[in-house]
Amino acid sequence: MTDYQAAQQELQTLRDFLRWITSRFYEAGLFYGHGNEDAFNEASQLILSTLKLPVETLPDIFLDARLSSAEKIQLLSLTEKRIEQHIPLPYLTHEAWFAGLPFYVDERVLIPRSPFAELIESQFQPWLIDPDDVSQILDLCTGSGCIAIACAMAFENARVDAVDISAEALAVAEININKHAMPAQVTAIESDLWLALKAEKQYELIVSNPPYVGADEMTSLPDEYRHEPETALEAADNGLAIVEQILLNAADYLTETGLLFVEVGNSDIAVQERWPETPFLWLDFEQGGHGIFMLTQAQCTEFAGRYRSNAAVQRT
């Protein structure tokens, strides 16, 4: 008899399962980088999501509730997959939380975990002086659409374009756009960055969480990351290829007072070393996270001009 078969027979209450799953997660030495801090929180999230209970907390009144046979089998099956295959929990429950909102996710998209949530909840202040003036927002590399949808909720008068090169990712984004009743405010667009966007379109705010992981860092990622789409994580040129294309063209799509925010994570040092003349403003976060910079439209214009001038000199 396996441990899972014994658990199905011996464990009875939600409290039993919480203790047992927590112990198994600790024992397995899992990685918790997709929404939870430790084995206990991971076990709690697994149980609450699977049993369709409120995910904010575990009510005491349910702790001694006995589980049905079907519920036991489902919980133990997901626990086994989490441990044996290192599948991130949100892919097992098909639910991830971002900026206080639930989103559908599967292995077509990255699992939301960006510090952009803190910026969105504060409406990008103090850098964005008057949020009421924001009418157009662009989310490049939208993935699940979580950033675009959260922006739409934070800026009720704004239209948001959610752009991604992956048709599969956009299919997930459409699920979330409909889930949050946002089709009138958020538009999913299949495009390789700027290529399919209208040249005359201007945005007060452009945000992007693009692929930025370099080849060396990819080899050191925990097993859980192997379930996420590689093309949404890794970028060529030490992780900077896509960031470079964003910087080169952002000025053309920003209003004169527009702002660009880009997440580059652990590639922040590489960004600064590659473009030392660019005055990136690196943001601090009270809720944790790092690696997001801000540039104004004028600074993006300067970047593009300097880049093209240097390229012309190299050709001569």
Side-chain angles (χ1 to χ4, degrees):
M1 180 181 295
T2 68
D3 288 345
Y4 297 102
Q5 290 171 330
Q8 183 179 345
Q9 291 183 8
E10 297 169 5
L11 304 180
Q12 300 298 325
T13 67
L14 193 153
R15 189 191 302 272
D16 292 340
F17 275 86
L18 178 60
R19 199 285 306 161
W20 190 86
I21 294 173
T22 299
S23 295
R24 300 291 78 75
F25 283 176
Y26 271 120
E27 185 179 59
L30 300 176
F31 173 76
Y32 309 104
H34 293 97
N36 291 310
E37 297 179 354
D38 54 35
F40 175 78
N41 286 301
E42 187 95 340
S44 299
Q45 189 77 30
L46 172 61
I47 291 170
L48 293 173
S49 294
T50 304
L51 299 182
K52 308 304 180 187
L53 294 172
V55 297
E56 294 83 4
T57 185
L58 184 57
D60 291 342
I61 60 172
F62 293 129
L63 283 172
D64 293 315
R66 295 166 64 90
L67 274 63
S68 69
S69 295
E71 289 173 333
K72 290 181 182 181
I73 292 171
Q74 187 177 17
L75 276 179
L76 291 171
S77 174
L78 294 178
T79 300
E80 184 176 13
K81 289 179 180 178
R82 180 70 184 93
I83 292 172
E84 302 300 330
Q85 300 179 44
H86 288 258
I87 299 174
L89 179 60
Y91 286 156
L92 295 174
T93 62
H94 295 302
E95 184 175 71
W97 287 77
F98 178 79
L101 301 169
F103 292 92
Y104 172 87
V105 294
D106 59 33
E107 295 190 13
R108 291 175 289 180
V109 296
L110 292 184
I111 296 167
R113 52 184 177 271
S114 171
F116 260 119
E118 186 173 329
L119 292 175
I120 295 168
E121 289 168 345
S122 67
Q123 292 187 303
F124 294 85
Q125 295 187 58
W127 306 282
L128 194 61
I129 297 175
D130 191 350
D132 291 336
D133 286 343
V134 176
S135 62
Q136 299 289 339
I137 299 173
L138 172 62
D139 175 23
L140 283 174
C141 308
T142 193
S144 65
C146 63
I147 290 177
I149 292 167
C151 282
M153 291 194 174
F155 298 90
E156 295 181 359
N157 298 322
R159 296 293 301 272
V160 183
D161 288 337
V163 170
D164 205 288
I165 192 174
S166 168
E168 289 190 337
L170 288 177
V172 176
E174 290 283 10
I175 291 172
N176 286 313
I177 290 170
N178 291 323
K179 175 185 178 74
H180 291 283
M182 285 286 175
Q185 196 176 352
V186 181
T187 303
I189 301 173
E190 185 176 348
S191 177
D192 184 355
L193 296 178
W194 315 97
L195 290 183
L197 296 182
K198 296 179 181 178
E200 68 276 9
K201 194 71 176 284
Q202 298 280 290
Y203 301 91
E204 290 89 1
L205 185 61
I206 297 177
V207 297
S208 183
N209 181 10
Y212 56 72
V213 180
D216 290 342
E217 186 179 357
M218 282 292 295
T219 63
S220 66
L221 293 176
D223 290 341
E224 279 77 358
Y225 286 105
R226 308 300 169 190
H227 294 274
E228 296 189 287
E230 185 175 315
T231 54
L233 284 169
E234 186 176 6
D237 193 13
N238 195 30
L240 301 183
I242 297 175
V243 174
E244 182 175 84
Q245 292 305 309
I246 292 172
L247 290 171
L248 270 175
N249 296 279
D252 295 335
Y253 294 88
L254 284 167
T255 64
E256 289 187 3
T257 59
L259 299 176
L260 170 70
F261 292 83
V262 181
E263 179 174 349
V264 295
N266 291 333
S267 293
D268 51 356
I269 296 175
V271 166
Q272 294 174 84
E273 291 177 346
R274 175 69 62 85
W275 301 296
E277 308 93 344
T278 303
F280 297 105
L281 176 63
W282 296 96
L283 308 184
D284 296 321
F285 298 94
E286 294 181 359
Q287 300 170 21
H290 71 287
I292 293 182
F293 67 74
M294 187 201 79
L295 291 174
T296 65
Q297 192 272 352
Q299 290 167 337
C300 290
T301 299
E302 291 173 4
F303 177 94
R306 184 166 49 246
Y307 181 97
R308 291 174 178 129
S309 177
N310 291 340
V313 168
Q314 291 176 6
R315 289 194 298 267
T316 60

